[in-house]
């Protein structure tokens, strides 16, 4: 057993884990933060995506011991007392989810994407979320949600949230 | 899926890593990005008794031109390559390749050294490094040695890196004047291994005659494969449509793909031919 010290959503934690414990299991089972999901468990679907030192990562493919000394953000750390994070608002306003299973991973991935590229093209967004699978939406509203969040974060005019009929 | 139990060590220096590797012997595996190793451990295809995590060792992540070489530190992440101004400006083949390696989250962790040291012919960097004529620096307590990429791959998951050694740097002859590079792999979906992949480097003289060519193939042979006859068909040629078609045909004939879920042998050979032709033309367009 090993002790792992890290910060999660701004809070210092010390957790004892086996070397083989996966990071996603520590987060869900030992910290009871179940917003980070396990989908495929083979680093394909992105439902377990979190931020480690600002980088989006698939927490099913990292060991909990690798989190030592790092700063983690999960979906539980996005909203503040002032309200939703712009990416959460984007998903809400644009119907960027149906069942919601992929949503936490999608949002955390989108946050890193927007930090590196505040005004991405549609193609850049689609490549940027290519490691996250959604089986409900067909992605169009997820793309719109990310465009909305990008506009909000850089202080630009917000795009229309009216649904498109095609 | 949870791996079998193992001991975990995270040394802060290369010397400490060598000491641990010596102590643990053949039961130890090196953890770099971990995005090939950890999935294998979860599926219990690999069950190392000891993991030596080299992520805390400083000085193994860099991309720089020095002494006529592009030097890439073994722990350089795929995402670092993707975002490097030097790579964007001169080494277009890596912009082609990194975009097709797994997905953004995996590229945040996966390392260039790991992609090569894993010794998998389905990985993308081996063919790219063959096209570019790379050499690999392997470090051990007794010093450093350099191995040509052509002599690096021994067999499935087996490379020139011996127990107790660590791959530390990849060196590529710096791309000079009148040189173009390109890579593409056919994949069924994002994150898939290549159905077939082709890496190309061509250099010409001022009159447009090809003076140097490198062609590497991904996932169509038990080992990463250099398409020698294709390269020979280009060198000395004015890179006519006819010579390019000949080079592409040779690559299709000389690879050894197997039937699997990604396609039949016949289909894969034809894809090698098509992609080789396209990548030669793309590399030429970048000269």
């Amino acid at each position: 057993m090993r002790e792992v010290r890290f910060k999660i959503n701004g809070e210092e934690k010390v957790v004892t884990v086996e070397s083989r414990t996966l990071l996603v299991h520590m987060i869900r089972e030992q910290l009871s933060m179940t917003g980070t999901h396990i989908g495929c468990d083979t680093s394909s679907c992105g439902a377990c995506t979190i931020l480690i030192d600002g980088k989006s990562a698939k927490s099913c493919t990292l060991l909990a011991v690798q989190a030592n000394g790092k700063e983690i953000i999960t979906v539980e750390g996005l909203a503040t007392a002032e309200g939703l994070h712009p990416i959460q608002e984007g998903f809400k306003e644009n119907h960027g989810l149906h069942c919601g299973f992929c949503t936490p991973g999608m949002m955390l991935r989108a946050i890193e994407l927007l930090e590196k590229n505040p005004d991405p093209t549609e193609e850049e967004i689609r490549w940027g979320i290519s490691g996250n699978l959604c089986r409900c939406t067909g992605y169009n509203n997820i793309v719109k949600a990310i465009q909305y969040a990008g506009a909000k974060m850089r202080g630009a005019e917000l795009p229309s949230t009216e649904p498109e009929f095609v | 899926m949870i791996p079998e139990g193992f001991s975990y060590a995270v040394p802060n220096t290369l010397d400490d890593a060598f000491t641990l590797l010596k102590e643990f012997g053949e039961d130890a595996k090196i953890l770099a990005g971990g995005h090939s190793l950890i999935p294998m451990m979860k599926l219990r295809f690999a069950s190392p008794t000891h993991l030596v995590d080299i992520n805390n060792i400083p000085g193994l992540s860099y991309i720089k031109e020095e002494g006529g070489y592009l030097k890439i530190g073994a722990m350089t992440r795929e995402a670092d390559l993707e975002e490097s101004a030097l790579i964007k400006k001169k080494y277009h083949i890596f912009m082609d390749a990194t975009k097709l390696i797994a997905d953004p989250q995996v590229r945040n962790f996966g390392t260039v050294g790991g992609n090569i040291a894993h010794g998998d012919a389905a990985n993308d960097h081996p063919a790219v490094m063959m096209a570019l004529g790379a050499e690999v620096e392997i470090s051990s307590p007794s010093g450093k040695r350099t191995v040509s990429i052509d002599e690096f791959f021994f067999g499935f998951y087996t490379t020139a890196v011996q127990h107790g050694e660590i791959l530390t740097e990849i060196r590529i002859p710096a791309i000079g004047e009148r040189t173009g590079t390109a890579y593409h792999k056919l994949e069924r979906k994002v994150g898939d291994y290549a159905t077939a992949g082709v890496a190309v480097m061509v250099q010409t003289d001022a009159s447009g005659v090809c003076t140097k060519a490198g062609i590497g193939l991904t996932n169509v042979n038990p080992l990463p494969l250099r398409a020698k006859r294709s390269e020979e068909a280009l060198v000395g040629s004015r890179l006519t449509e006819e010579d390019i078609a000949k080079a592409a045909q040779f690559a299709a004939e000389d690879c050894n793909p197997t039937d699997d879920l990604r396609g039949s042998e016949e289909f894969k050979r034809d894809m090698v031919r098509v992609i080789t032709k396209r990548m030669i033309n793309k590399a030429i367009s970048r000269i």
Side-chain angles (χ1 to χ4, degrees):
Chain A
M1 301 296 271
R2 288 179 76 96
E3 217 169 62
V4 193
R5 290 167 182 275
F6 56 95
K7 218 182 214 184
I8 187 160
N9 301 329
E11 212 177 306
E12 299 274 0
K13 295 275 182 194
V14 184
V15 181
T16 304
V17 296
E18 276 188 81
S19 297
R20 63 178 180 158
T21 303
L22 300 171
L23 182 53
V24 69
H25 290 143
M26 179 185 77
I27 292 171
R28 289 178 54 86
E29 290 156 26
Q30 290 179 264
L31 301 176
S32 301
M33 295 182 179
T34 54
T36 304
H37 293 160
I38 301 174
C40 68
D41 205 7
T42 56
S43 59
S44 301
C45 78
C48 65
T49 300
I50 57 169
L51 294 177
I52 300 183
D53 289 349
K55 286 183 175 183
S56 55
K58 294 187 168 177
S59 59
C60 77
T61 307
L62 289 164
L63 302 169
V65 288
Q66 290 180 281
N68 197 41
K70 309 272 193 232
E71 205 168 329
I72 295 173
I73 306 283
T74 68
V75 67
E76 288 89 349
L78 295 187
T80 61
E82 282 86 66
L84 295 177
H85 186 284
I87 193 73
Q88 292 173 308
E89 191 182 311
F91 273 76
K92 177 172 173 260
E93 294 300 324
N94 291 281
H95 309 283
L97 60 144
H98 290 186
C99 86
F101 197 81
C102 73
T103 315
M106 283 283 181
M107 293 196 299
L108 286 149
R109 172 60 206 141
I111 287 171
E112 190 199 8
L113 169 68
L114 290 173
E115 244 154 52
K116 286 186 174 162
N117 184 358
D119 189 9
T121 64
E122 181 182 334
E123 199 196 341
E124 285 166 342
I125 292 174
R126 288 183 184 273
W127 270 106
I129 58 167
S130 60
N132 294 73
L133 300 182
C134 172
R135 301 286 80 156
C136 307
T137 63
Y139 299 98
N140 283 357
N141 285 355
I142 293 177
V143 172
K144 284 169 75 181
I146 296 171
Q147 285 167 332
Y148 178 101
K152 177 123 185 175
M153 286 160 83
R154 61 177 197 275
E157 194 188 329
L158 295 178
S160 160
T161 56
E162 287 298 310
E164 272 172 54
F165 295 101
V166 285
Chain B
M1 297 179 294
I2 301 167
E4 266 186 58
F6 53 84
S7 84
Y8 172 84
V10 55
N12 293 312
T13 66
L14 265 183
D15 284 342
D16 287 352
F18 291 137
T19 307
L20 289 163
L21 289 174
K22 193 175 172 195
E23 185 189 321
F24 297 148
E26 296 197 357
D27 297 328
K29 281 294 273 180
I30 296 166
L31 180 68
H35 277 52
S36 295
L37 181 59
I38 292 175
M40 285 176 71
M41 289 168 64
K42 287 172 68 178
L43 293 166
R44 311 239 174 160
F45 291 152
S47 297
T49 318
H50 307 279
L51 266 196
V52 179
D53 182 347
I54 58 171
N55 282 275
N56 273 15
I57 301 173
L60 293 177
S61 175
Y62 49 83
I63 303 162
K64 60 185 178 192
E65 276 189 332
E66 200 178 75
Y69 286 96
L70 171 72
K71 298 182 174 179
I72 302 175
M75 289 298 287
T76 303
R77 312 286 166 176
E78 304 293 352
D80 297 332
L81 267 189
E82 237 179 326
E83 290 162 14
S84 154
L86 175 63
I87 295 295
K88 278 185 197 166
K89 194 174 130 207
K90 280 180 73 175
Y91 296 88
H92 303 118
I93 195 166
F94 287 117
M95 297 308 293
D96 296 340
T98 48
K99 196 179 175 190
L100 296 172
I101 293 173
D103 60 55
Q105 287 94 313
V106 174
R107 293 197 291 273
N108 272 343
F109 283 83
T111 64
V112 183
N115 193 286
I116 295 169
H118 191 52
D120 188 345
N123 278 355
D124 299 283
H125 280 303
V128 171
M129 296 304 176
M130 279 187 169
L132 296 175
E135 54 191 41
V136 175
E137 178 193 88
I138 301 170
S139 300
S140 71
S142 53
K144 292 175 178 181
R145 61 193 181 96
T146 303
V147 176
S148 151
I149 195 73
D150 291 285
E151 283 153 18
F152 184 78
F153 300 102
F154 287 7
F156 197 48
Y157 297 142
T158 320
T159 70
V161 180
Q162 303 296 307
H163 289 291
E165 294 185 319
I166 298 176
L167 190 164
T168 41
E169 186 178 86
I170 300 105
R171 281 194 287 268
I172 293 153
I175 284 187
E177 299 275 281
R178 283 187 272 277
T179 304
T181 59
Y183 181 74
H184 185 66
K185 75 168 169 189
L186 178 68
E187 56 178 1
R188 296 171 302 175
K189 60 181 181 60
V190 163
D192 192 17
Y193 290 113
T195 303
V198 183
V200 172
M201 184 270 296
V202 284
Q203 190 176 35
T204 67
D205 64 17
S207 67
V209 172
C210 177
T211 50
K212 210 172 159 189
I215 299 181
L217 307 180
T218 300
N219 213 12
V220 286
N221 194 60
L223 294 180
L225 184 68
R226 176 180 293 285
K228 281 203 194 93
R229 279 205 299 160
S230 308
E231 294 173 352
E232 286 160 12
L234 296 182
V235 173
S237 148
R238 303 198 75 87
L239 298 174
T240 57
E241 213 173 293
E242 208 184 343
D243 288 341
I244 292 168
K246 209 180 344 169
Q249 183 58 35
F250 285 154
E253 288 172 10
D254 294 350
C255 64
N256 301 288
T258 48
D259 293 337
D260 63 17
L261 289 172
R262 294 186 182 85
S264 66
E265 180 198 330
E266 188 190 7
F267 170 70
K268 289 182 181 181
R269 281 191 196 279
D270 205 42
M271 287 306 102
V272 167
R273 184 184 62 77
V274 170
I275 303 169
T276 303
K277 190 175 160 186
R278 286 188 192 164
M279 288 308 104
I280 295 171
N281 282 315
K282 194 167 184 181
I284 293 168
S285 75
R286 286 168 168 175
I287 289 175

